[in-house]
Amino acid sequence: MMATFFGEVLSVYSRAVEEEEEEELDENDEDEEIRRELEEKREVHLHWSSEATTSGNKLPCSDFVLAVGQNAACFLSAYVLSSDTWEAVGRASAWNERSQAAAGEESACVFYRRKDDPSVLICSVTSYLAEDQLFQWTEKVFDRLQLRQLSVTVLSDGALADYKTADYLCGSSAPFLRSLRTGAFGERPVCPALEQPNILTGLPAAVLNHCQVHRIPAVSYQCYSDVIAPDSVTMETYKPALTRLSRSIQLDPSPSTDILRKSVRSSDLQSNLYI
C-alpha cells in the first residue's frame, strides 16, 4: 500500500514479491521431487520365484527363521542349508548409503524353503538396512506370509563391546546368547533374557516389534562375541536356539571343514572401519 500527497491510499503492485514467491514454489517443487526420487531409490524390493508364488499371494509358513549378521548367516549356511533339502525361493534388495552396488546386494538377503515342507522358511541377511528401510522390509515380508500358526525365530550378531553389564568378567565367557520374546511366545527361551539397559537394534528389533504388535509368537537370540569375522566357535553358539525346531529343521552336528570354510569365504565380510 502507498499514500499519495492528496491523502489517497493506493495499492502498489510489487513484481519482486511475486518473483520471490514463484522462486519459493519452484524450490519446494524441486525439493519434493528430490525426496520422491530418493524414496523410490531406497525402496525395498522383494523378488519371489515362480514356485513360491503359485499358491497365491500368501506364502504358507509355520516356522520362519531369520538370521541377521555374518555369524548368524554362516551358521545357517553351514549347519542347515548345506543339505540338499533346501531351495532358494526369493530375495530382497535395497539400496542405501552403506550398501554396495545394487547388483551385489541381490544375494545378501535370500529366502530359502524346505523342499519337502514348504511351510518352513529361512531368511539369511548379511546386507545393511538403513533405519528408514527396516519398517519397509518387515512390513513387506510379513505381508507375504500366512500369519496363522506362524512362529518366528531371530538369530543375530552382537558385539561384545556393546554389551552392558556390571560383571567385568562376563567377557571371558564370550560368545554367549541372550534372548527377548514377544508376549505371545509361550515357551521358555534356551538362554537368559537380555538384561537392561541392553536393547535390540536394527532388523531384529523391527521384526520383534512387529510380532509383538500383531501377537505373533517370536523369540530373538542375540549372540555376543568378541570377534568381527565369521568364527566357528561363535557359529556353534547358535545351536541351542534351534532346539525347539528340531522336527522341521535338522542341524548337521559337525559340518566338514570344507563346508565351514566355504561358508566363511562366501560371506561378504565388511570389516572396514570407515563403512
Side-chain angles (χ1 to χ4, degrees), residues 182 208-216:
T182 63
L208 208 65
N209 182 68
H210 179 91
C211 292
Q212 175 68 18
V213 171
H214 294 275
R215 299 180 180 179
I216 300 172

Side-chain angles (χ1 to χ4, degrees), residues 36-256:
R36 185 166 53 251
E37 291 177 353
L38 187 59
E39 288 177 357
E40 292 177 357
K41 188 175 183 180
R42 298 173 69 89
E43 186 176 356
V44 175
H45 298 279
L46 297 182
H47 313 272
W48 299 100
S49 65
S50 57
E51 293 80 5
T53 55
T54 53
S55 58
N57 293 328
K58 299 289 185 178
L59 296 176
C61 189
S62 59
D63 292 301
F64 178 41
V65 179
L66 172 66
V68 183
Q70 296 293 338
N71 274 296
C74 285
F75 163 71
L76 289 183
S77 178
Y79 287 83
V80 179
L81 298 173
S82 58
S83 69
D84 58 1
T85 59
W86 298 88
E87 61 179 349
V89 293
R91 60 179 174 84
S93 59
W95 178 92
N96 55 64
E97 291 78 3
R98 283 181 55 177
S99 67
Q100 299 188 8
E105 288 297 304
E106 291 183 357
S107 61
C109 179
V110 184
F111 296 86
Y112 301 90
R113 185 174 64 179
R114 269 191 62 172
K115 295 178 181 179
D116 57 344
D117 186 0
S119 66
V120 182
L121 193 68
I122 283 179
C123 180
S124 178
V125 183
T126 56
S127 57
Y128 170 79
L129 290 173
E131 289 187 6
D132 60 315
Q133 296 172 325
L134 298 175
F135 178 81
Q136 249 193 91
W137 190 98
T138 305
E139 287 289 311
K140 288 189 175 183
V141 169
F142 279 87
D143 186 56
R144 290 301 308 274
L145 305 181
Q146 290 182 356
L147 302 184
R148 186 179 180 182
Q149 297 181 340
L150 173 64
S151 180
V152 179
T153 302
V154 181
L155 311 178
S156 61
D157 295 355
L160 183 61
D162 296 333
Y163 182 73
K164 301 175 180 63
T165 178
D167 182 7
Y168 71 94
L169 294 176
C170 185
S172 61
S173 62
F176 57 86
L177 290 177
R178 289 294 182 267
S179 65
L180 277 180
R181 58 179 175 173
T182 63
F185 188 81
E187 302 178 38
R188 184 176 180 179
V190 299
C191 69
L194 184 63
E195 307 91 338
Q196 294 182 348
N198 296 289
I199 59 173
L200 279 183
T201 60
L203 188 57
V207 169
L208 208 65
N209 182 68
H210 179 91
C211 292
Q212 175 68 18
V213 171
H214 294 275
R215 299 180 180 179
I216 300 172
V219 59
S220 176
Y221 292 105
Q222 180 140 302
C223 179
Y224 288 93
S225 177
D226 55 358
V227 296
I228 299 176
D231 168 71
S232 60
V233 176
T234 302
M235 281 188 264
E236 285 192 3
T237 308
Y238 287 108
K239 280 185 176 180
L242 297 185
T243 301
R244 71 179 189 87
L245 300 177
S246 58
R247 291 184 179 180
S248 54
I249 297 179
Q250 285 75 42
L251 291 177
D252 184 344
S254 55
S256 66

